[in-house]
């Protein structure tokens, strides 16, 4: 006879595991793999059937995230070529689970030999060791940002699906350290974003120079990515606890090094009165529109048809090539100087990751809305 206590805990563990490694409700990604393991991969479930799978586009998205693409990113060299294992026939999605893998080919695991028993400042070493009783010290293992490559695959496919609905997503670097773009996203030609290594639409910015200077000193620096989603229909979002901005915030905060999320006016809204910042409705030739978009395209947790825009704050990379005080696993004081290949700033490579998480979230909520309409 089954132990009722055992049954109760098995259900709890199933629900917890789903939260740990799976993202999404209908359009779901379960990722696996470690930074210095054989590879990173995933299973995408709930993808609509019949989507034309543009493999060149998907590879292009991975190339935007891959290491070694410029002088201001980690010099680690990886092809990051995705291999699809299931869920595709004659170039189209079949509606069944899409399995894929990206093989790791350029690990330098010996770079982490001096960190096996040492807790790196601001890393997940201590929390992983305490939680699980074991950890993979090679590049942080599962906590490494290399895991995000699986998100870019799922995000690229989500973008292809959203394209059918006229939804476009564009993220860009809007701030590095103290250098920030003035004005809003509407003041810049976002098509210029990919023309700079830092992925900023302003060709005159000194962001790249600042990152290179920080890198030369063995240090790191943080910044902000702004993301804009255009063409999102009215009605996406599930009040009260499934609000669209809450889902986007959750998605962004699962990305390594993210420390903050704000949409629309964000924290700046605290400085204004309602009479100054309310988005007033008007009849725009038979179509209900708003004269401003301080709400960031979301009201009451539901998309209102305006551009959705938000900002994501990234901390400076925790691995710095400088001596730092810390302790080892025995609690003894020690000095750590990291070795290896690391990004001085995550922003340039994080832009496609932010877009991918946005695409997955919007497609997921679009599919949720479709189920409601079918009833």
């Amino acid at each position: 006879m089954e132990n009722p206590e055992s049954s109760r805990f098995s259900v709890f563990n199933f629900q917890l595991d789903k939260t740990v490694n799976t993202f999404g409700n209908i359009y779901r990604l379960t990722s696996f793999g470690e930074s210095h393991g054989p590879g990173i991969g995933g299973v995408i479930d709930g993808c609509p059937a019949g989507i034309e799978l543009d493999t060149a586009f998907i590879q292009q998205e991975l190339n935007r995230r891959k290491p070694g693409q410029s002088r201001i990113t980690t010099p680690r060299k990886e092809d990051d070529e995705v291999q699809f294992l299931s869920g595709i026939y004659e170039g189209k999605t079949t509606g069944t689970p899409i399995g894929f893998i990206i093989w790791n080919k350029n690990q330098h695991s010996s770079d982490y030999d001096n960190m096996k028993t040492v807790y790196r400042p601001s890393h997940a070493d201590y929390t992983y060791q305490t939680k699980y009783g074991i950890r993979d010290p090679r590049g942080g293992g599962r906590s490494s940002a290399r895991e995000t490559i699986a998100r870019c695959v799922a995000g690229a496919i989500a973008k292809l699906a959203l394209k059918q609905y006229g939804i476009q997503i564009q993220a860009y670097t809007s701030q590095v350290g103290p250098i920030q773009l003035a004005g809003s996203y509407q003041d810049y030609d976002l098509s210029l974003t990919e023309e700079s290594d830092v992925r900023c639409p302003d060709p005159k910015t000194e962001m790249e120079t600042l990152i290179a200077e920080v890198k030369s000193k063995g240090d790191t620096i943080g910044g902000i990515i702004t993301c804009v989603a255009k063409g999102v229909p009215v009605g996406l979002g599930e009040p009260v606890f499934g609000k669209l901005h809450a889902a986007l915030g959750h998605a962004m905060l699962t990305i390594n090094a993210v420390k903050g999320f704000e949409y629309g006016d964000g924290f700046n809204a605290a400085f204004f009165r309602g009479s100054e910042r309310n988005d007033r409705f008007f009849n725009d030739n038979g179509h209900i529109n708003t004269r401003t978009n301080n709400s960031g395209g979301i009201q009451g947790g539901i998309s209102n048809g305006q551009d959705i825009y938000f900002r994501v704050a990234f901390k400076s990379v925790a691995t710095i090539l400088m001596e730092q005080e810390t302790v080892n696993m025995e609690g003894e004081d020690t000095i750590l100087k990291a070795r290896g290949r690391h990004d001085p700033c995550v922003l340039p490579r994080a832009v496609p990751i932010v877009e991918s998480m946005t695409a997955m979230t919007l497609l997921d909520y679009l599919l949720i809305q479709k189920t409601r309409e079918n009833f």
Side-chain angles (χ1 to χ4, degrees):
M1 182 176 179
E2 184 179 15
N3 185 331
E5 286 296 305
S6 174
S7 175
R8 179 170 65 87
F9 281 112
S10 67
V11 172
F12 170 78
N13 287 334
F14 169 77
Q15 294 171 338
L16 183 61
D17 287 343
K18 183 175 184 294
T19 304
V20 171
N21 295 301
T22 301
F23 176 84
N25 298 285
I26 295 179
Y27 185 81
R28 300 190 302 275
L29 167 68
T30 300
S31 70
F32 63 85
E34 294 83 30
S35 176
H36 285 244
I40 300 286
V43 176
I44 302 168
D45 205 357
C47 182
I51 296 174
E52 292 275 358
L53 211 66
D54 186 343
T55 54
F57 171 76
I58 295 172
Q59 189 58 54
Q60 176 186 332
E61 292 293 280
L62 297 184
N63 291 344
R64 296 172 67 210
R65 194 223 69 96
K66 77 177 184 179
Q69 57 184 279
S70 74
R71 70 187 181 109
I72 56 172
T73 62
T74 170
R76 178 174 176 172
K77 297 292 184 182
E78 293 280 3
D79 294 333
D80 282 355
E81 294 180 354
V82 61
Q83 177 182 354
F84 288 103
L85 308 175
S86 64
I88 301 166
Y89 180 68
E90 295 184 340
K92 294 183 178 181
T93 59
T94 62
T96 59
I98 300 172
F100 64 89
I101 191 164
I102 301 96
W103 299 105
N104 293 329
K105 299 179 179 179
N106 191 228
Q107 310 99 313
H108 286 183
S109 299
S110 60
D111 288 339
Y112 299 90
D113 286 347
N114 66 326
M115 307 179 195
K116 287 183 177 180
T117 62
V118 175
Y119 294 136
R120 295 171 297 168
S122 287
H123 280 78
D125 299 342
Y126 173 69
T127 51
Y128 265 59
Q129 184 70 45
T130 303
K131 180 178 180 65
Y132 297 107
I134 187 173
R135 66 183 171 90
D136 183 348
R138 303 167 302 169
R142 182 72 175 151
S143 68
S144 169
R146 183 147 181 79
E147 176 272 336
T148 58
I149 192 170
R151 307 177 187 215
C152 284
V153 175
I157 295 175
K159 280 185 177 182
L160 292 172
L162 292 173
K163 186 178 180 180
Q164 299 179 359
Y165 296 92
I167 299 174
Q168 297 179 323
I169 300 166
Q170 175 69 67
Y172 63 94
T173 300
S174 56
Q175 182 172 342
V176 172
I179 302 177
Q180 58 181 317
L181 298 185
S184 73
Y185 69 92
Q186 296 171 318
D187 299 317
Y188 298 91
D189 181 358
L190 300 189
S191 68
L192 301 177
T193 299
E194 293 299 311
E195 294 187 12
S196 79
D197 288 341
V198 75
R199 292 200 162 88
C200 175
D202 183 0
K204 299 178 181 179
T205 182
E206 295 295 321
M207 293 178 183
E208 186 176 338
T209 301
L210 175 58
I211 295 174
E213 176 189 341
V214 168
K215 180 182 179 181
S216 69
K217 297 177 181 178
D219 212 341
T220 61
I221 195 165
I224 293 174
I225 288 176
T226 297
C227 187
V228 184
K230 294 177 175 290
V232 180
V234 180
L236 303 193
E238 300 298 315
V240 169
F241 298 112
K243 295 181 177 181
L244 184 58
H245 59 266
L248 287 168
H250 166 68
M252 297 307 128
L253 289 166
T254 67
I255 302 173
N256 308 59
V258 169
K259 287 295 184 180
F261 169 84
E262 62 175 8
Y263 76 102
D265 273 354
F267 282 93
N268 198 42
F271 297 97
F272 295 96
R273 301 184 182 189
S275 57
E276 297 174 295
R277 304 301 282 182
N278 280 349
D279 293 319
R280 292 173 171 82
F281 292 102
F282 72 102
N283 189 326
D284 186 8
N285 295 318
H287 175 72
I288 301 298
N289 210 334
T290 58
R291 299 192 182 279
T292 55
N293 187 21
N294 300 315
S295 301
I298 303 172
Q299 293 173 327
I302 302 171
S303 60
N304 66 1
Q306 303 297 315
D307 292 349
I308 292 176
Y309 66 93
F310 55 86
R311 306 201 311 159
V312 186
F314 287 78
K315 71 171 184 174
S316 52
V317 178
T319 300
I320 60 176
L321 303 181
M322 306 167 70
E323 290 189 348
Q324 298 182 86
E325 296 179 353
T326 187
V327 298
N328 59 24
M329 293 172 61
E330 303 300 323
E332 301 167 333
D333 293 335
T334 187
I335 299 294
L336 171 67
K337 183 173 183 180
R339 300 193 299 263
R341 306 158 296 174
H342 307 281
D343 287 288
C345 178
V346 300
L347 276 295
R349 296 176 60 209
V351 166
I353 301 169
V354 167
E355 291 179 2
S356 292
M357 297 306 295
T358 303
M360 283 194 284
T361 302
L362 292 181
L363 178 57
D364 191 31
Y365 273 65
L366 182 66
L367 294 173
I368 291 173
Q369 182 64 15
K370 290 294 181 184
T371 63
R372 173 174 284 104
E373 292 172 357
N374 288 338
F375 285 102

